[in-house]
Amino acid sequence: MKRVNDFLKKLNKEQLDAVVHTKGPVMVIAGAGSGKTRVLTYRIAYLLSQGIDPFNILALTFTNKAAREMKERVINLIGDGDARNVWMGTFHSVFARILRIEGHHLGYPANYTIYDSSDSKRLIKNIITDMKLDVKQYPPSYVASRISMAKSSLISSEEYTKDPDIQAADDSARKPYIKEIYTRYQNRLKRADAMDFDDLLFNTFILFSGFPKILYNYQQKFKYILVDEYQDTNHAQYLIIKKLAANTEQICVVGDDAQSIYGFRGANISNILNFKSDYPDFKLFKLEQNYRSTKTIVNAANQVITYNKDQIKKTVWTDNNDGSTIGYIKAPSDTEEGTMVANSIFEKKMNGQLSNDYFTVLYRTNAQSRSIEEALRQKNIPYKIYGGLSFYSRKEIKDLLSYFRLVINQNDEDALQRIINVPARGIGKTTMEKIIVTADDHDVNIWQVINDPDTYKLDVNSGIKTKLKNFSTMINSYIVAGKSKDAFEVASHIATSSGLLKSFRDEDTPEAISRVENIEELLNGIKEFTEKAIEKSEGDMSVKKSLGEFMEDVALLTDADSEDEEDKDKVTLMTIHASKGLEFPHVYIVGLEENLFPSIQSITTRSELEEERRLFYVAITRAMETVTLSHAETRYKWGNFTYTEPSRFLDEIDNSLIDRPELFQPVAKHEKTTTFTGSIPQPAIKKRNLKPISSNNTSSAKVSQQDNAELSEGMNVEHDKFGVGRVLSVEGSGPNKKATVFFESVGNKTLLLRFAKLKVL
């Protein structure tokens, strides 16, 4: 074993104090980039160097990757003899190990099966079907989410059934049978000697609560407990840890309340905020020196987080250089935001001779990646989606595009088979097999059989024939619409009338909400595609782009993305949630607009808003060298051209830290709740008007509308292309305002005024 002093010399004073204080409860508040993982690994190494039995040390993490990295670092510090015997792993893996040993007390064999989320949803779907319930009313994902949240709160199926508040909530959601599904689900799991992921926590708690002797044995075994990312623990994890540490209170938790961003998963920030109440004799250590970021980035992050009331006070600082001021992009539209971000990345890359993996673009929702992806492709900048799929590869997008493909080409059997039962409409696998066999027997494609089952003598009952008829009628209506309507009109009609959007809205889970947002973003892209044609024709709304033209455009766009997926030299695109724990030299945070970031779903209470602000804090602190903030003045929302308001978070960074502060004028609407200390600049809400990075594109929103605002029926006008005409009618308002004009040269024309450039005579 290496000499203790050899590795302790690598710690700063605060880190060293946290490592060597091994008596009693300890909380280490570790600011972003302050060496949190180093403290955990050095503390384990120090305990082992002091002769502590490795079997008496329990270290809990949230990811297997974190556990592996910690163990490897401990081995590098002191050798692998003792380090391999430390109980180190995720909450689920450690508790699963305990249940392998002790599960027989709860009636489980040592070789019990663990169901992952897909296994659980499949079982829940089977139960829903067995109960003859409608899967549209009881989407398996929604039911699984309800059961998971109950278990995370340690609510059994029996307690769930008896709780009047829970039952009232389910009744209000028109899902009164969830209690019975939950009961059957647990019975089926037990009968199969299986546990789902939530059971690993739930049953460990039951084991320790119901069998005091077993709890005492593990309390004696785990004399030293370390918990990583304590701010992310849920109720079940919190109570299990508290039980294990109750005797000796030799517990060390490490985390940062300012980075608590998983409330939607059940994480409870009060666990870390109330640590001092659980352990009054605790020792607090603050790691406040940031080794990652420039002074500008650190100060900006500090300023933002002070607007939160619920926090453990700390002042993060750094000895790094001042660095560049924070960049700012104000784009005329969301499409141009993508273009301007891509241009900025390209410029930095060329000027600094940097590789692509120096850059990341962070966004609040997955749907925002579309405009960024398209802009990066146009600049031939390779990218990768971290923790998710490329926009056009996401299931819900591929499903909707398959509808489009089938409308355009009824011989596209791959598209047909993909969506014939999406959303579920009772046309199952057996029916499809019969259709395929019948089509083969008659040497026709499967669409012909579906469209006319009687002619081809399809062997199905009348109920199935009715379902097939309804499906073919729906698709045929889309085909007819596609011949006269533009791409956006047809696409939005398909998304709505097919039931695809409704199925996700009915689920009402975070995943389903994300899918709705992605479909909305696809429709926004189609709207832009159609409006570009109108803009190029100077407002002539008779110029239409078909769905087929859009699909051709998409095919060319996605086919260009052919870089080797193993190639790591790519710009990283990800949600801010996925970025936690990572760092990049250059970070772009896009979509900083009210109702987008902060999210409209997270601003109804102060606690929700504060979690959104912590999310912004996390985004800023991913950066090592530069941060660029961006927002768009306009976005498409369900095909409507809407104006946006800059995010309130932009007002919370002092003007001295952002590029060209003399030009930015925010609305001073937020009160500061705390003050700064030390050398950090005093934040003040001052008049600022940051001039956006220049763009070669001229936004349609910027076209002067002075003449158009005064336009009324009977006026004579002049159009650059059609000449002199007379206004017959004016309708709509704002960006959707249009006029029907009679021109002697071409007759009646309906023009979108923000593109038409009409001159009143």
Side-chain angles (χ1 to χ4, degrees):
M1 185 179 293
K2 297 179 181 178
R3 290 176 54 210
V4 175
N5 288 340
D6 288 345
F7 65 79
L8 292 183
K9 289 178 180 178
K10 298 178 182 179
L11 302 173
N12 66 30
K13 183 182 184 304
E14 291 75 19
Q15 292 171 337
L16 178 63
D17 290 344
V19 164
V20 301
H21 187 91
T22 59
K23 301 297 182 183
V26 170
M27 180 165 69
V28 181
I29 296 299
S34 63
K36 169 182 67 69
T37 304
R38 169 172 285 203
V39 166
L40 277 171
T41 54
Y42 276 64
R43 186 178 176 88
I44 294 170
Y46 180 74
L47 288 170
L48 294 173
S49 72
Q50 298 301 297
I52 302 300
D53 188 333
F55 290 98
N56 293 151
I57 301 174
L58 171 64
L60 296 169
T61 68
F62 275 85
T63 66
N64 289 312
K65 179 183 176 183
R68 284 195 304 270
E69 289 180 353
M70 284 172 57
K71 183 162 285 191
E72 288 169 2
R73 292 190 188 188
V74 173
I75 290 172
N76 289 335
L77 289 174
I78 63 170
D80 63 356
D82 288 336
R84 295 190 183 280
N85 295 323
V86 173
W87 277 58
M88 187 184 302
T90 65
F91 284 89
H92 291 93
S93 66
V94 169
F95 297 159
R97 184 177 172 186
I98 291 174
L99 290 169
R100 295 285 183 203
I101 301 168
E102 311 291 353
H104 62 277
H105 294 284
L106 302 178
Y108 289 92
N111 64 339
Y112 68 85
T113 301
I114 298 175
Y115 278 20
D116 63 19
S117 59
S118 61
D119 296 327
S120 297
K121 290 176 185 176
R122 191 180 305 114
L123 176 56
I124 288 170
K125 184 177 181 180
N126 290 339
I127 292 170
I128 293 168
T129 303
D130 292 344
M131 293 175 64
K132 294 182 170 51
L133 297 173
D134 187 353
V135 292
K136 295 178 182 178
Q137 184 179 355
Y138 291 89
S141 294
Y142 177 87
V143 177
S145 175
R146 288 288 289 171
I147 293 173
S148 177
M149 290 300 287
K151 290 184 179 182
S152 295
S153 300
L154 300 174
I155 300 171
S156 67
S157 57
E158 294 84 358
E159 292 168 324
Y160 190 99
T161 301
K162 295 175 183 177
D163 190 305
D165 292 333
I166 293 176
Q167 294 315 305
D170 285 346
D171 289 343
S172 176
R174 298 173 62 188
K175 294 174 174 57
Y177 288 104
I178 289 182
K179 59 185 177 184
E180 187 174 341
I181 299 171
Y182 186 5
T183 299
R184 292 193 183 197
Y185 174 68
Q186 283 307 112
N187 291 339
R188 292 277 291 272
L189 284 174
K190 192 67 173 62
R191 195 167 71 212
D193 288 330
M195 300 184 204
D196 63 20
F197 271 30
D198 295 303
D199 285 328
L200 298 177
L201 303 180
F202 189 97
N203 286 335
T204 300
F205 177 80
I206 296 299
L207 179 72
F208 289 161
S209 299
F211 299 87
K213 186 175 180 181
I214 294 174
L215 173 61
Y216 177 77
N217 289 339
Y218 282 96
Q219 287 173 336
Q220 293 304 108
K221 179 177 180 60
F222 299 135
K223 295 179 179 177
Y224 295 88
I225 299 172
L226 300 91
V227 185
D228 190 17
E229 304 286 10
Y230 191 65
Q231 76 279 352
D232 294 334
T233 52
N234 63 25
H235 186 60
Q237 290 161 333
Y238 162 76
L239 289 179
I240 293 170
I241 294 166
K242 193 173 181 182
K243 282 182 177 294
L244 285 173
N247 276 5
T248 64
E249 293 195 345
Q250 299 281 22
I251 179 173
C252 173
V253 302
V254 180
D256 182 5
D257 58 292
Q259 297 186 65
S260 178
I261 59 174
Y262 295 119
F264 67 97
R265 294 182 187 170
N268 190 348
I269 190 175
S270 66
N271 293 346
I272 194 168
L273 296 178
N274 295 336
F275 187 83
K276 60 184 178 183
S277 301
D278 293 331
Y279 306 95
D281 297 329
F282 86 113
K283 180 71 174 177
L284 174 65
F285 296 95
K286 295 182 181 180
L287 306 184
E288 297 174 305
Q289 182 174 1
N290 178 295
Y291 292 94
R292 174 187 300 156
S293 309
T294 65
K295 285 187 174 70
T296 296
I297 293 169
V298 168
N299 289 343
N302 282 346
Q303 290 176 358
V304 167
I305 204 63
T306 55
Y307 285 83
N308 276 6
K309 291 183 178 179
D310 291 336
Q311 62 172 296
I312 298 169
K313 300 300 180 187
K314 61 181 177 298
T315 302
V316 179
W317 60 278
T318 184
D319 271 339
N320 294 339
N321 59 40
D322 290 341
S324 305
T325 52
I326 291 172
Y328 176 87
I329 294 174
K330 181 168 68 174
S333 70
D334 48 347
T335 299
E336 287 167 293
E337 180 185 37
T339 299
M340 294 164 75
V341 166
N343 288 343
S344 177
I345 290 174
F346 184 80
E347 184 178 344
K348 282 183 183 176
K349 178 183 167 184
M350 292 297 102
N351 290 344
Q353 293 298 296
L354 306 174
S355 58
N356 295 306
D357 57 4
Y358 272 48
F359 300 89
T360 188
V361 181
L362 305 181
Y363 35 76
R364 180 64 180 84
T365 67
N366 277 309
Q368 292 172 256
S369 76
R370 180 191 61 82
S371 61
I372 306 297
E373 288 187 62
E374 293 180 358
L376 290 173
R377 285 193 185 108
Q378 290 168 5
K379 298 292 289 185
N380 291 318
I381 299 174
Y383 67 88
K384 61 183 177 183
I385 304 290
Y386 183 93
L389 296 170
S390 173
F391 183 83
Y392 289 104
S393 299
R394 292 167 186 154
K395 181 184 182 302
E396 60 276 13
I397 298 302
K398 291 179 75 70
D399 286 343
L400 187 51
L401 292 178
S402 292
Y403 272 97
F404 300 167
R405 286 165 52 190
L406 183 60
V407 170
I408 295 163
N409 176 16
Q410 290 78 59
N411 291 326
D412 191 337
E413 295 192 352
D414 177 69
L416 192 155
Q417 291 188 59
R418 182 181 181 99
I419 54 88
I420 192 168
N421 204 40
V422 176
R425 49 178 63 94
I427 305 174
K429 182 179 178 182
T430 301
T431 300
M432 277 309 303
E433 289 173 349
K434 289 182 178 181
I435 292 171
I436 292 169
V437 169
T438 302
D440 290 343
D441 289 344
H442 289 84
D443 195 25
V444 296
N445 65 53
I446 60 178
W447 168 251
Q448 289 174 270
V449 176
I450 292 168
N451 209 32
D452 192 2
D454 290 333
T455 296
Y456 297 101
K457 296 180 173 59
L458 180 64
D459 183 22
V460 294
N461 61 40
S462 60
I464 294 296
K465 283 185 180 179
T466 299
K467 291 173 181 176
L468 292 174
K469 179 66 174 175
N470 291 339
F471 176 75
S472 65
T473 300
M474 178 180 70
I475 297 300
N476 280 318
S477 73
Y478 299 157
I479 294 170
V480 172
K483 294 176 181 178
S484 59
K485 298 182 181 297
D486 67 30
F488 173 73
E489 292 171 318
V490 181
S492 56
H493 176 57
I494 292 173
T496 303
S497 63
S498 66
L500 201 59
L501 275 171
K502 184 178 184 301
S503 68
F504 295 137
R505 286 177 175 145
D506 288 346
E507 283 188 37
D508 195 27
T509 63
E511 295 83 359
I513 291 171
S514 178
R515 291 185 178 120
V516 171
E517 290 171 344
N518 289 338
I519 289 177
E520 176 189 347
E521 186 62 21
L522 176 64
L523 296 177
N524 290 342
I526 299 173
K527 181 70 171 180
E528 291 171 8
F529 175 78
T530 58
E531 290 223 339
K532 280 180 181 177
I534 298 174
E535 181 178 5
K536 288 179 181 177
S537 64
E538 297 182 309
D540 184 359
M541 296 186 71
S542 66
V543 177
K544 296 182 184 295
K545 282 286 189 178
S546 70
L547 196 60
E549 290 174 294
F550 172 76
M551 289 300 291
E552 181 180 347
D553 194 61
V554 169
L556 293 172
L557 193 61
T558 53
D559 286 344
D561 189 27
S562 58
E563 292 81 19
D564 182 4
E565 286 301 315
E566 295 302 314
D567 179 13
K568 294 182 179 180
D569 184 22
K570 297 181 178 181
V571 174
T572 303
L573 311 184
M574 69 178 91
T575 64
I576 303 169
H577 282 102
S579 74
K580 189 165 174 287
L582 303 176
E583 60 182 31
F584 297 87
H586 305 284
V587 171
Y588 289 78
I589 308 170
V590 300
L592 277 160
E593 297 143 31
E594 285 294 297
N595 299 331
L596 180 58
F597 192 20
S599 167
I600 192 172
Q601 297 169 358
S602 302
I603 55 176
T604 56
T605 66
R606 181 168 62 83
S607 62
E608 290 174 341
L609 178 59
E610 291 199 351
E611 178 152 326
E612 288 289 293
R613 186 175 284 111
R614 291 194 294 270
L615 194 58
F616 186 43
Y617 175 87
V618 167
I620 294 172
T621 55
R622 298 312 93 202
M624 301 163 68
E625 297 178 23
T626 69
V627 171
T628 302
L629 309 176
S630 79
H631 70 92
E633 294 179 292
T634 61
R635 279 186 191 272
Y636 279 102
K637 186 75 172 175
W638 294 110
N640 291 320
F641 187 79
T642 60
Y643 291 93
T644 66
E645 179 185 353
S647 171
R648 67 191 72 191
F649 297 151
L650 290 170
D651 295 352
E652 297 173 357
I653 300 175
D654 187 74
N655 58 7
S656 64
L657 301 180
I658 306 183
D659 198 17
R660 308 183 78 166
E662 73 282 0
L663 300 174
F664 183 54
Q665 298 177 12
V667 179
K669 58 185 175 183
H670 312 298
E671 293 185 1
K672 204 170 96 62
T673 57
T674 57
T675 57
F676 287 102
T677 59
S679 61
I680 300 174
Q682 291 288 328
I685 297 176
K686 302 176 182 178
K687 289 188 176 181
R688 298 176 286 167
N689 188 355
L690 276 68
K691 190 172 181 179
I693 294 174
S694 61
S695 169
N696 293 328
N697 297 331
T698 302
S699 169
S700 58
K702 296 298 185 182
V703 177
S704 173
Q705 299 296 319
Q706 184 173 358
D707 285 343
N708 292 341
E710 301 171 355
L711 208 64
S712 62
E713 183 180 339
M715 283 185 171
N716 293 323
V717 294
E718 184 176 6
H719 186 278
D720 288 346
K721 180 178 179 181
F722 305 131
V724 175
R726 185 176 183 81
V727 178
L728 301 179
S729 64
V730 180
E731 56 184 297
S733 61
N736 296 317
K737 191 173 185 180
K738 57 187 176 183
T740 300
V741 183
F742 173 75
F743 295 98
E744 291 185 3
S745 59
V746 293
N748 289 353
K749 283 286 183 181
T750 301
L751 304 173
L752 201 59
L753 293 185
R754 60 191 166 99
F755 296 137
K757 303 177 184 176
L758 292 175
K759 180 181 179 181
V760 178
L761 299 178

